[in-house]
Amino acid sequence: MLLSLKLSYKSATGQDYQAGLPPRDLVLINNGTTKEEDEDFVDPWTVQTSNAKGVDYDKLIVRFGSSKIDTDLINRIERAIGQKPHRFLRRGIFFSHRDMDQILDAYENKKSFYLYTGRGPSSQAMHVGHLIPFVFTKWLQEVFDVPLVIQLTDDEKYLWKDMTTEKAYEYAKENAKDIIACGFDINKTFIFSDLDYLGTSTGFYKNVVKVQKHVTFNQVKGIFGFTDSDCIGKISFPAIQAAPSFSSSFPQIFDGKENIQCLIPCAIDQDPYFRMTRDVAPRIGQPKPALLHSVFFPALQGAQTKMSASDPNSSIFLTDTPKQIKTKINKHAFSGGRDTIEEHRKYGGNCDVDVSFMYLTFFLEDDDRLEQLKQAYTSGELLTGELKKVLIETLQPLIAAHQERRKQITDEMVKQFMTPRKLDFEF
Ligand code: TRP
């Protein structure tokens, strides 16, 4: 085992392992992998693959050391909640987990847990991909009936982007409206801005320093690829994203209790933060958070990368008009169809690389309809333009309904969601 560790050290750093000496003059790229052409690259800031089908998620499970959400687990969830599992589970969109069986054990023994998720408010513009974790979290909150905390990392965006603290805080409050529009229950949900809440909480900062004491600079370099010239704000930030995993960060919700188990739904690129958190947890006497990981939401141009809020044509924004949605999909959605109608009829389209089909797996609720579309497209009976039309007609009402709900959300409601308070649960 030691020999094989030395080998992976060499392939990751290009240097021979020497006991007690950190690698010289080099940035250890995340998760011990190097940025090779044919390797998928995944970290909290970058997602890149050369494969048109997208990232190889099975490989990622092995590399990150998480577990696959398999049929057994999905069946167990169904038994526990007595309802059909969400389409994101049925279709492998949430595909990986850590310790979900422990959450179900707790739930079946009538022991409570809580949900934690978050968002980095990098701009006002949120796109449909940003909603995936929130739509799923809303469903989890409903079926399990548990408290939820949502962290808005305005501090993170201040540190990483060229942005003032005021602007980041403003975006946090704007993004909170889109999040609230997903339908969260105000009596069961606490949304907080780091810039706001950290200084007022009696529990949060204690957990931040506890995490900070148990992670070395060398470790965060290895996990996140920080270098000697990154500001110390970035280097210590992972402790701030870790802290909400511990119930003692929210004394007002959990009556000061330390041992309430946490479940974090997030996209798989956030896993490095929580691998670190899970490593520290037992050493500071806290339970490890459990996780549910989702795949990335592909850019319109193809699954090689995730949607980006900074490229307007790569995304469908929550503010897009029906017409913009239509134009973007028709013009930019990468097609797995053939070059000519004759060829398409003869050989059929490829759903594995077709972005419109991928989006339908995220948003079309009806399993039978989805299967029919897949067969018709693959056989060549359904043309790309027709498939795109189905997607346009699915997304337009969905986005319009979101805009309608968002309009109803006042600054006063945002303030209520963001006020530290007891929720409708006894601990
Ligand atoms: N770092 C995340 C982002 O940039 C935001 C975040 C904070 C988060 N805490 C989280 C995401 C917990 C998922 C789960 O978007």
Side-chain angles (χ1 to χ4, degrees), residues 242-262:
S245 317
F246 306 124
S247 61
S248 49
S249 295
F250 308 98
Q252 71 281 10
I253 302 175
F254 300 107
D255 194 27
K257 295 212 173 49
E258 293 218 313
N259 55 356
I260 315 291
Q261 165 92 58
C262 172

Side-chain angles (χ1 to χ4, degrees), residues 116-120 151 153 156-157 237 241 264-266 270 273-274:
Y116 157 41
T117 190
R119 148 135 189 103
Q151 179 179 44
T153 52
E156 176 191 15
K157 295 304 149 183
F237 174 76
Q241 183 152 335
I264 308 172
C266 62
Q270 298 297 309
Y273 287 110
F274 301 119

Side-chain angles (χ1 to χ4, degrees), residues 170-226:
E170 187 191 312
Y171 288 157
K173 287 194 289 186
E174 277 306 306
N175 287 183
K177 289 189 180 164
D178 281 300
I179 294 170
I180 295 169
C182 292
F184 292 107
D185 183 340
I186 193 161
N187 298 312
K188 301 178 178 176
T189 309
F190 173 47
I191 305 180
F192 63 99
S193 126
D194 284 345
L195 290 173
D196 215 11
Y197 179 62
L198 260 72
T200 67
S201 168
T202 54
F204 203 101
Y205 188 61
K206 282 182 197 151
N207 284 326
V208 172
V209 285
K210 282 184 194 171
V211 175
Q212 286 174 342
K213 183 165 175 169
H214 291 84
V215 183
T216 65
F217 182 29
N218 212 32
Q219 283 170 321
V220 286
K221 271 197 212 172
I223 303 172
F224 300 98
F226 297 142

Side-chain angles (χ1 to χ4, degrees), residues 128 316 318 320-323 325-326 329 363-364 389-405:
V128 284
I316 311 275
L318 298 177
D320 282 349
T321 61
K323 189 151 174 268
I325 296 173
K326 184 174 173 193
I329 292 173
F363 294 111
L364 190 68
K389 189 157 174 277
V390 180
L391 175 63
I392 292 164
E393 285 166 3
T394 307
L395 274 182
Q396 281 172 336
L398 229 124
I399 305 256
H402 179 88
Q403 291 168 357
E404 203 39 56
R405 287 192 306 269

